[in-house]
Amino acid sequence: MTGGMRKGLTSYGDADFSLFLRKAFIKAMGYSDDALERPIVGITDTASDFNPCHGNVPQLIEAVKRGAMLAGAMPMVFPTISIHESFAFPTSMFLRNLMAMDTEEMIRALPLDSVVLIGGCDKTTPAQVMAAISADRPAIVLPVGPMLVGHFRGEALGACTDCRQLWGDHRGGRLSDGDIEMANARLVPSVGTCGVMGTASTVACMMEAMGLSLPGAATIPATHADRLRIAEATGRRAAQLASGGPKPSDILTRDAFHNAIVMLQAIGGSTNGVVHLLAMTGRSATPLTLDKFDDIGRRTPVLVDLKPSGDHYMEHFHQAGGVPRLMQELKDLLKLDAAHVMGGTLRDAIATFEEVPGQTVIRPRTAPLTGEGGIAILRGNLCPRGAVIKQSAASKKLLQHEGRALVFESVEDMTTRIDDPALDVAENDVIVMRNAGPVGAPGMPEAGYIPIPKKLAQKGVKDMLRISDARMSGTAFGTIVLHVAPEAAVGGPLALVQSGDRIRLDVKARSLELLVDEGELEKRRRERTPPAVPDDARRGYARLYREHVQQADEGCDFDFLAAVRN
Ligand code: FES
C-alpha cells in the first residue's frame, strides 16, 4: 500500500525510517494503528476570527469528519490562509494567488488521498480550485453556504447589494446617520457568504455546474441543518474518492468549463467569476479565452431573479430548487455528459431535483429576465485585450452611450475629488478611473463601482457610464465597464485618455472606443512616463506579485503557476 500515511514521505534517504518517524509523531495525537492504516481525507480549515463568512467552518469540519469516518476513512484537518473581503489589505485579489500557492503546496506536501475544500468567501474557493487543479489529487468542494436575509424597515436586506444601495442613499442625503447605523447592524444577520448573486454565490453555483461539488451545495443557507448534512455527504464522498479518484483533471475538462460559463451567464453572475474561471482554466489542459464567455453569453438567458440583476436572495433561490432545478431549464445548453465528482455525469447528478409550485425565482426559458447572458465582453481601441460589463445589472439607456471623459488617475484621486462641489461633471459624462488594475493598485481592487459624484447624486442621478481597469464586487450594479486590459499601469490605452476626450460604448456591438485618432494616441504614448515601482513592492510577496501577475484577460494568476498553458 502506498496511500495514506505512506504517501509523500519526508526524505531522509530511508523510506521505512521516514514512515517510522512519521507514525511516532502522529501517535502523539492518540491515533490507533487502525486509524493510521485508513485512506486519509484531508480537510482544509479556513476558519478565522477575521472571516465571518466562514463562521460555520468548525461545524462543517465536524460534519465532514463524521461522513468520512462513516465511510471508513481517516479525516485529517489542516489549516490554510483564509481571506475575507473586508479584512484583506490591500485587496483580497492580491492574496488569492498566495492562498492558491499555500493550498496547492499543502495538498502536495501532506499524505492526503483526497481533499475536501471548504471555502466560500469570494477568493477562497477559486484559490482552492486553482490549487487542486495544479496538485491534481482527488478533491471535492464544500461551500460554506450563503448567509440569511436581513430586514430593515420591513424590507429584506442582503449583503452587499443593499449595503451599496443604502450607502448611496446616505450619501445622497436620503438616509440619516441614525438610520444608516441601524441598517449597518441588520445587513449581515448570520455567518455565511453574501446573500445575493455576488462573487461567492456565483463561484459556488459554478462549482455545481463544473461537477466539483454535490448537487445543492451552492445554495443551502450556511446556518441550516441541511448545510451540515451536505457536509457529511461530502465527507462520505471524499472517503470514496480517496480510494481512486476521479481527479480534477478527469472532471475539469473543456465541457465542465463550458457548463461553468453557462451557469455564470444564466444566474447573472459576478464579473469576478470571469477572472476566477480564467485563472482556473489557465491551470488546466484546456485554458479558455474571454471570447468563449461572450459566445456562450449570447445564447444563454438570465433565468435567476436575484439581486443585483433581479429582486431576490440566495435563500429564496434555494427554496425555489437551487442549481439542480435551474439546470433543468438549461439542459439544452449544458454538456450533460461532463464527468461529475459523484462518479457519473452531470446528467446523473441533476436527475433528482425539486419542483416548487408557484416559485418565481427561477424563471422558465419562456420568460427570462434578459434574453442574453448577464456578462458581455467588449473589444475596441480602449481595451485591445478585452473588458467586461455586467449588462444585466446596467441601465438599459446607457448600454449605447457616447460622452465626454472625466479622468481620475487612481483610486485615491477619485476618492479625493469625486465629491468636490467644483468638479466639472455632468450626468452624460463618462467617468474613467485608471491605475487600478492587477499591477496598478495593486491587486485590482473592487473600486470599479465608482460612486456617482455627490453633486449629481443629490440631484437624483443613480447611474452613469463608468470605466476602469479595476474589478467590481459581484453585489454591485450600474453601467460599469471593468477589467480593461491591458491595464493603464502596464501601458494599456486607458493610460492615454484625457478629460474631455469622447468615449463610445455600444454593448450590442460589443465595442468600447476612445474617439481620438491614432496619431494623437501615439504622441501621448511617447510622452507618457510609466509609473515608478512603489517602495513596498521591492521585496517579498508584493514583489513576486508585481513581477508575475498576469492581466485580467488571463485571470490574474501568476505566470509561473499557469505554466501548464505556457
Ligand atoms: Fe465574504 Fe461577501 S464578504 S462572501
Side-chain angles (χ1 to χ4, degrees):
M1 178 181 166
T2 53
M5 281 293 154
R6 289 170 179 79
K7 215 181 185 99
L9 290 168
T10 311
S11 177
Y12 295 113
D14 177 346
D16 289 339
F17 175 68
S18 296
L19 180 62
F20 170 77
L21 205 57
R22 172 176 283 176
K23 286 177 80 171
F25 277 116
I26 201 72
K27 280 183 174 174
M29 307 279 280
Y31 294 120
S32 65
D33 282 319
D34 179 27
L36 297 176
E37 287 301 314
R38 306 288 177 128
I40 297 177
V41 171
I43 306 169
T44 61
D45 183 356
T46 53
S48 159
D49 284 353
F50 290 107
N51 195 341
C53 294
H54 289 201
N56 61 344
V57 165
Q59 292 79 32
L60 294 178
I61 286 174
E62 286 312 306
V64 172
K65 285 170 100 171
R66 184 166 65 243
M69 283 197 274
L70 284 170
M74 177 67 192
M76 299 197 75
V77 181
F78 63 100
T80 71
I81 298 172
S82 183
I83 306 171
H84 182 275
E85 288 302 293
S86 289
F87 294 94
F89 178 82
T91 72
S92 58
M93 191 65 183
F94 178 71
L95 295 171
R96 184 201 64 183
N97 296 349
L98 184 62
M99 182 170 180
M101 290 170 76
D102 172 15
T103 308
E104 176 185 342
E105 294 310 325
M106 291 317 291
I107 292 174
R108 223 191 283 283
L110 296 170
L112 314 176
D113 295 298
S114 68
V115 61
V116 178
L117 304 166
I118 305 182
C121 194
D122 293 14
K123 308 301 175 292
T124 57
T125 303
Q128 292 175 321
V129 174
M130 289 158 70
I133 293 171
S134 294
D136 204 26
R137 204 163 285 184
I140 184 166
V141 167
L142 175 65
V144 296
M147 64 179 67
L148 298 179
V149 168
H151 294 88
F152 173 65
R153 290 178 163 174
E155 287 196 18
L157 287 186
C160 233
T161 300
D162 297 311
C163 313
R164 295 168 203 286
Q165 185 77 58
L166 291 163
W167 190 248
D169 287 346
H170 180 55
R171 277 173 54 83
R174 296 180 291 279
L175 204 61
S176 71
D177 290 350
D179 283 344
I180 195 73
E181 278 302 310
M182 187 187 293
N184 183 265
R186 303 274 179 85
L187 273 162
V188 185
S190 78
V191 298
T193 48
C194 288
V196 296
M197 193 48 79
T199 306
S201 304
T202 298
V203 172
C205 292
M206 290 199 299
M207 289 301 129
E208 276 197 52
M210 284 158 66
L212 215 51
S213 61
L214 297 185
T219 58
I220 301 168
T223 56
H224 280 199
D226 277 341
R227 176 59 54 190
L228 297 177
R229 272 186 281 276
I230 203 165
E232 184 184 300
T234 301
R236 254 183 202 279
R237 182 59 193 148
Q240 293 158 357
L241 294 177
S243 308
K247 295 187 289 192
S249 56
D250 300 319
I251 299 169
L252 299 179
T253 58
R254 197 178 294 279
D255 283 355
F257 296 137
H258 169 101
N259 291 339
I261 299 176
V262 171
M263 182 57 55
L264 171 69
Q265 296 287 17
I267 57 181
S270 162
T271 44
N272 286 318
V274 177
V275 178
H276 295 318
L277 193 57
L278 286 167
M280 290 180 228
T281 70
R283 299 286 187 106
S284 79
T286 53
L288 291 179
T289 63
L290 272 176
D291 293 331
K292 190 78 178 163
F293 290 79
D294 205 65
D295 187 35
I296 294 174
R298 285 179 188 269
R299 291 177 271 135
T300 308
V302 177
L303 295 181
V304 177
D305 187 0
L306 247 65
K307 288 193 173 189
S309 300
D311 283 335
H312 300 285
Y313 298 88
M314 283 299 281
E315 206 175 322
H316 308 134
F317 183 21
H318 181 62
Q319 288 156 5
V323 172
R325 174 65 188 83
L326 170 63
M327 286 204 265
Q328 305 307 312
E329 299 291 333
L330 299 169
K331 272 182 167 172
D332 59 312
L333 299 171
L334 292 165
K335 307 280 188 189
L336 294 170
D337 291 327
H340 198 281
V341 75
M342 284 176 71
T345 63
L346 181 65
R347 178 183 285 103
D348 304 330
I350 61 170
T352 306
F353 63 94
E354 189 180 356
E355 193 66 74
V356 179
Q359 66 84 15
T360 57
V361 180
I362 304 169
R363 299 276 189 89
R365 286 288 282 278
T366 49
L369 257 82
T370 63
E372 277 195 1
I375 293 171
I377 305 301
L378 306 171
R379 301 275 180 186
N381 70 346
L382 196 48
C383 53
R385 284 172 57 179
V388 170
I389 184 168
K390 188 168 183 177
Q391 54 178 341
S392 59
S395 302
K396 285 203 170 38
K397 65 172 187 173
L398 290 173
L399 291 177
Q400 269 84 36
H401 181 76
E402 183 185 317
R404 178 185 69 150
L406 166 63
V407 179
F408 293 103
E409 284 299 327
S410 63
V411 178
E412 293 70 29
D413 181 34
M414 184 275 291
T415 310
T416 308
R417 293 198 292 130
I418 193 84
D419 288 342
D420 184 344
L423 187 70
D424 179 15
V425 63
E427 182 176 356
N428 287 326
D429 286 350
V430 179
I431 301 180
V432 172
M433 183 179 70
R434 61 188 169 214
N435 296 312
V439 173
M444 213 183 173
E446 290 186 341
Y449 181 71
I450 302 165
I452 303 296
K454 199 165 192 169
K455 68 193 232 184
L456 296 180
Q458 284 170 337
K459 285 186 196 158
V461 176
K462 292 227 163 94
D463 196 9
M464 294 172 70
L465 175 55
R466 290 157 272 178
I467 300 171
S468 73
D469 44 15
R471 293 177 301 117
M472 171 175 93
S473 164
T475 62
F477 52 90
T479 312
I480 299 175
V481 175
L482 304 153
H483 311 182
V484 168
E487 62 174 306
V490 299
L494 200 65
L496 310 178
V497 186
Q498 294 180 355
S499 289
D501 289 347
R502 307 285 299 174
I503 291 177
R504 185 190 300 136
L505 168 73
D506 185 344
V507 175
K508 197 155 185 234
R510 300 294 195 263
S511 83
L512 180 67
E513 297 288 341
L514 175 61
L515 305 178
V516 175
D517 69 65
E518 187 47 43
E520 170 63 17
L521 290 179
E522 189 48 45
K523 177 171 163 283
R524 292 182 193 178
R525 204 171 278 124
R526 281 197 306 273
E527 290 168 357
R528 173 180 173 265
T529 311
V533 177
D535 283 346
D536 58 6
R538 291 186 191 281
R539 63 165 297 281
Y541 178 73
R543 176 171 172 175
L544 181 81
Y545 177 91
R546 186 181 174 89
E547 291 178 354
H548 293 284
V549 72
Q550 296 178 315
Q551 290 294 292
D553 62 322
E554 294 177 313
C556 301
D557 198 2
F558 291 155
D559 50 10
F560 60 88
L561 293 176
V564 168
R565 173 173 45 190
N566 299 329

